């Protein structure tokens, strides 16, 4: 129960270290007879891949996914899918500088406390490199959800700079390297990021993910609520520190009549007049857009020296040089989308198990 | 996989409807030889019990817990604990007014969509009444954690009114019916609540829970991070819409050097100079206080009529009269504390399983 | 992970000690909109109830089941079902004779080794009394399976006396108190049992359970095979020491051409010409009868004194007087049927989750 | 919940088809700081490897295991272990003969019924080739158990020929290619196997596995009994049709006083005078040898033509030519040992979680 598996029926088990031989995952519970190729997965990995603009790490990983099992002649068979990516740019560089040191903001200290051993090469298992497998698994989850469900994410705040939601344009997200839905914010963010990079600093951000076309009825009461599982999914992303469903923290300052989403009939169907709930009531989807936001802390690795200690109990100054994203929230967008897909696919199968249909 | 179980090794399975015969839970995995009596549990239930001030629902439930199994002569035996509370004030009142109606903000519509049937008496399974069992289970979890770990919660925002953290006083929380840690805020909140009640409205709030004395090393990498499981635990509380760990959403606007918690040696031990991380790095506890905040939406049940529909597709106006909390966040405090206890107890056992010790 | 839960989607969590306040279980994952009353469950409990003939224990328990949750107006709601039976005949007798003693063949010694504490009243948690809840849960599982699936059990061997399979008569099973399918064997068994009882001894037996109408396709490859889950289910019954699927151990002495079940077309459908496989190939149901046998050891409690030790390390002689079944295999028949139902219901939901349909 | 994961805390997830790119597994929950190399695993794989005598399949697979993650500088890190074996002898032969045909005794028909699709190359996922990963995972489980626990297996019956238990010699098992503990039986078995092979037939067998040094207290009451989990583990091995714990089916014909294992004190410690229980009472280990036997059916693939049908509903005769073991029970011995190791390692961690210690 070491926590490397996500989901109950659509079940992803992840493995691999930053500088090991490979990273990968096994997906059990994939329905049979879905069309699936490596290209279907690669397209999502390419969106997360580093080194695509000056704003992300310059580590060069083609991140080429390979399907080892579970697909026969282009169709899923119901057997577990194994996906791997070979670590190609795992430089055999000299890690002696950080070998014995706990980098502030990283998991170095806690892994050491927990396990008494640590693969210090590039963070080992705690590296965000594992998120590539989330994206890969998310691509498979989208197949399970089908074309009716669309999942899209965007960066809605970088450092202190939030987007103007009135200018929201989903098309724009694909057209700028910052995954920003507000075209006017892009140059502001780019200038901000350049200043961050110049000062050897880093910044945080807020990601929003929206799932449309989710049928009403997904989720479960009590503990495994759809929103609870989404919250877990999002906070499990490295560097995530907060999550909101619908209006989120703003709901605390609202009144019931303001927050409750009124219902009317429209063309013979139930319609909600607002979506403060973020598409979930009582832990179960309403059929409206499922809306989640998550806060990403600033990248922990910065070249600015910081006070820390080492494994021998000596006080040290740590400056982390090398290839790092100044704002990991950017590449976090496809990861957050993938986690949304994993939760929805799992709950789709869970719903079908208990309530039938499909 | 209907989601009424929480935890993996310290494992709580909950049951019961608002107006059924009883609510209860089974806790499996309780370590043997812990001293436990019904009084140990009752003290926490009493803090959550309704009808203790004019600010909470006037439903009269003694909420008397009974231990049906798993304890022998005052000690846990390792066998599953079953706890029940008989529903005494389950008035056999006339529910015909809401029988066919979907109350806005409630789970009525989603349960109907999911199950095609619904126990409409007081919300049935979707009633927050189930949270009594979370509190009961939390009391047992505290036994597992031992006296070194203290878990305390407070309401830090009511509607738009936040506490002044400079005046924080844990003692005060126990001395006012609003669980407010800022004595000066209490009269402001009381006046605000009275106005809310007079206008047949409701309000939200923000709860903060702090666990002290948590040993470093609890949690797991990748998916079952300590903070991810806390996020799930908190969002699984009815009406929760957002959760933060440590600095939470504020982290998005910080730089790395600001956010990273510096480490120094003090009296031969590692000490952190701040706690932006909220006691968790890489999903594993640091030994600092574990700090979580959650946003609670305003009570959905209000006497103000609201537009909705019924199961026959007719548009209706719904006003929910009766006994309701104007701000469920107040009674949410002991529930959030309990969820913190459940997560920590589970991860304590998980840690012991994999890494030994204790 | 203390092992009191069975199943993944149709999920039974059991609790209660022999002489505690009550025994019970929670069943999560029950599909909604199934008709269910306490009478539907009671009929199966009555078959297992002690004291119905001179051949079973004279403990007087009406074993009256109560549904505490999950049913509304006679229909399941999708919420967890809680079932309880109050222990009425939990005599407050003097247990000082066995308090410190490890009864041979019982779990006294192992519970003591594991937990360091033990509820010695009637075996506590290790008492076969918990099997009442298996039978209760099995009744609900049958509802999930529907009327097409029939599950029947019989005792096929008592002590050294096996039935003549050529005289197999399912009707007979209901007509004798020994659950024997061979009418000619009944008097032989009765005489044998009387001699066993007179010598203060006990005997074992072999149970066979057959499920008819199971659709092809239930089960899963690799670890969670339908037959593997059945094996676990059966061996989890107290006193079970062996389990066979289809031809079972006899298969070891057969050749492939003998054992392989040939397939032919009949009325346009695939038909098997034999059923050595016991209805399972590759862990997945074939559509033939699912056939399982399990060996039950002789009742451990006997009035004959036996050498043992106590918790202080003293050698003692233990004779267990009181109300005991001379052959627990008899009352094991409805328990084994119930376990078959639990496994099939769980796999039905699992199949529906992954492969759809229904 | 497709059933490719085994264990709860020591948790093996398996993947791969007979003729796919690779087979492999991920092991989550491995305790940190255990020494582990590929050679530690390879030694067990070599025992299972085909083609080592004339009595097993001539498929030539070096079965060279690779550790992709979870080990750093020769020590486990607590991160998930990924193990893979590349399929080297996956001949691109012509499978058109069996492509549309259901081979009797195989999973062809049931996979087709369940999934509607089937990787027919060498049985695909249903091939016993997956058992190589069980053996690999078992080698890691042995490391968790430590040197005090020894797990040994032997073939105790081949076809109708059982060993003479009076001649039992564990050394002999390693010295003959049939894993037979009775040296005098070896020539008899070899002659029998040759005759089986000459008649294009196959035979079954019975495997016995004994674990010594297992501490008292492992296991759990009710459902997840140590013996129940062993039964599931053993029946999950391809071709297994029966399982016994201790005296097994013979217990049915015994009396309580015969079967109960008497206890005495010896050198200040509790000692059992016999082991009919097979080392498990009430689902929990006694500290005696844990003894399990399993029946393996004759190999389904035989060159003798057999009546069957194809996916188009035509009646056909199927003869399976090629490389097959005449008695899969031989190579099943290391697989059964591995499953014993998996169950014990999982329960060791489970015990430690709930009851502490170590």
């Amino acid at each position: 129960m070491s926590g490397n598996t996500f989901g109950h029926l659509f079940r992803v088990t992840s493995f691999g270290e930053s500088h090991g031989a490979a990273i990968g995952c096994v997906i059990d519970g994939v329905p049979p007879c879905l069309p699936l190729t490596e290209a279907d997965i690669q397209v999502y990995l390419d969106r997360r891949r580093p080194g695509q603009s000056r704003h992300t790490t310059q580590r060069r990983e083609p991140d080429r996914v390979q399907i080892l099992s579970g697909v026969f002649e282009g169709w899923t068979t119901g057997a577990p899918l194994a996906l791997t990516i070979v670590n190609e740019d795992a430089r055999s560089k000299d890690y002696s500088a950080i070998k014995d040191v706990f980098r502030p903001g990283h998991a170095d200290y806690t892994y050491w406390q927990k396990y008494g051993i640590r693969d210090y090469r590039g963070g080992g298992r705690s590296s965000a490199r594992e998120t590539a497998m989330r994206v890969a698994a998310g691509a498979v989850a989208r197949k399970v959800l089908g074309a009716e469900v669309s999942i899209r994410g965007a960066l809605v705040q970088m450092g202190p700079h939030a987007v103007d939601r009135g200018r929201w344009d989903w098309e724009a997200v694909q057209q700028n390297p910052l995954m920003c839905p507000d075209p006017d914010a892009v140059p502001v963010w780019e200038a901000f990021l350049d200043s961050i990079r110049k000062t050897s600093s880093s910044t945080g951000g807020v990601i929003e993910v929206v799932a449309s076309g989710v049928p009403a009825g997904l989720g479960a009461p009590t503990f495994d609520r759809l929103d609870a599982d989404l919250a877990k999914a999002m906070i499990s992303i490295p560097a995530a520190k907060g999550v909101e469903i619908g209006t989120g923290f703003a709901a605390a300052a609202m009144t019931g009549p303001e927050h409750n989403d009124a219902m009317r009939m429209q063309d013979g169907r139930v319609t909600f007049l607002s979506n403060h709930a973020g598409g979930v009531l009582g832990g179960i989807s309403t059929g409206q857009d499922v809306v989640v936001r998550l806060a990403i802390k600033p990248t922990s690795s910065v070249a600015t020296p910081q006070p820390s200690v080492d494994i021998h109990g000596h006080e040290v100054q740590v400056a982390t040089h090398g290839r790092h994203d100044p704002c990991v929230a950017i590449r976090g967008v496809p990861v957050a989308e993938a986690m949304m897909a994993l939760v929805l696919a799992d709950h789709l199968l869970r719903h079908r198990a208990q309530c039938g249909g499909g």
Side-chain angles (χ1 to χ4, degrees), chain A:
Chain A
M1 201 120 292
S2 192
N4 294 287
T5 295
F6 190 83
H8 292 273
L9 297 185
F10 186 87
R11 196 170 180 77
V12 181
T13 300
S14 162
F15 67 84
E17 286 84 42
S18 175
H19 288 60
I23 58 174
C25 71
V26 182
I27 314 177
D28 202 11
V30 181
C33 302
L34 298 174
L36 185 72
T37 65
E38 290 169 351
D40 291 334
I41 301 170
Q42 194 63 47
V43 63
Y44 291 99
L45 283 170
D46 289 349
R47 286 184 62 213
R48 178 200 162 278
R49 203 174 61 209
Q52 302 191 94
S53 81
R54 73 177 188 277
H55 304 299
T56 57
T57 172
Q58 297 307 301
R59 178 169 175 162
R60 293 283 165 194
E61 284 286 1
D63 278 358
R64 190 69 52 196
V65 72
Q66 190 186 359
I67 300 175
L68 295 183
S69 65
V71 173
F72 183 58
E73 299 180 343
W75 302 88
T76 60
T77 62
L81 275 175
L83 310 178
T84 52
I85 294 174
V86 172
N87 285 328
E88 303 198 351
D89 191 18
R91 299 185 186 177
S92 58
K93 76 167 192 180
D94 184 9
Y95 283 99
S96 56
I98 63 160
K99 183 175 176 303
D100 294 343
V101 162
F102 301 130
R103 294 169 299 161
H106 279 281
D108 298 351
Y109 176 70
T110 53
Y111 270 57
W112 185 255
Q113 286 291 318
K114 185 176 190 71
Y115 299 117
I117 185 176
R118 152 170 98 86
D119 176 352
Y120 46 75
R121 299 166 306 164
R125 180 63 182 156
S126 74
S127 164
R129 180 143 180 72
E130 56 92 354
T131 61
M133 297 323 302
R134 302 181 186 229
V135 172
V140 181
R142 288 177 196 252
K143 289 275 179 173
V144 174
L145 293 168
E148 304 75 37
V149 178
S150 99
I151 297 172
R152 294 180 293 187
L155 197 61
V156 297
Q157 183 184 326
M158 175 178 288
H161 306 290
V163 297
D164 179 339
R165 303 184 75 89
R167 286 196 295 259
W168 192 290
D169 175 7
W170 278 115
E171 297 293 311
V173 175
Q174 307 302 326
Q175 291 157 3
N176 68 77
L178 305 180
M179 310 243 175
C180 178
D182 170 3
D184 292 11
V186 175
V188 180
W189 288 12
E190 295 206 301
F192 174 69
L193 259 193
D194 286 338
S195 76
I196 284 289
R197 221 170 22 239
K198 269 175 212 149
T199 54
S200 300
S201 189
S202 63
T203 187
V206 177
I207 295 167
E208 181 165 318
V209 182
V210 179
S212 304
V214 177
L218 301 196
T222 323
F223 300 117
D224 292 356
R225 290 162 186 257
L226 185 62
D227 39 359
D229 279 348
L230 284 168
K232 170 167 177 164
M234 296 303 164
I235 295 290
S236 81
I237 297 174
K241 300 302 288 182
V243 67
E244 297 184 313
I245 313 293
T247 43
F249 276 85
M254 295 171 77
T255 66
E258 282 167 355
H259 190 272
N260 288 338
D261 300 311
M263 282 179 273
R264 296 282 85 179
M265 297 305 295
Q266 201 172 322
D267 304 329
R269 303 184 51 185
V270 174
T271 313
F272 291 87
L273 303 185
S274 55
N275 189 14
H276 294 118
V280 187
L281 282 174
I284 299 170
S285 62
T286 61
Q288 293 213 87
D289 282 359
V290 177
V291 181
V292 178
R293 268 181 308 285
L294 69 154
I296 301 290
K297 72 175 185 180
T299 314
S300 299
S301 294
V302 287
T304 306
Q306 293 183 280
S308 189
V309 299
D310 67 17
I311 63 173
H312 309 296
H314 301 135
E315 299 193 337
V316 295
Q317 291 293 111
V318 182
T320 316
H321 300 287
R323 308 164 299 175
H324 300 289
D325 289 280
C327 177
V328 285
I330 301 170
R331 288 172 57 215
V333 173
V335 179
E337 288 179 14
M339 294 312 294
M340 171 73 89
L342 294 187
V343 171
L344 292 176
D346 191 38
H347 273 285
L348 184 74
L349 300 189
R350 291 171 72 162
H351 177 70
R352 189 156 83 177
Q354 187 176 12
C355 300

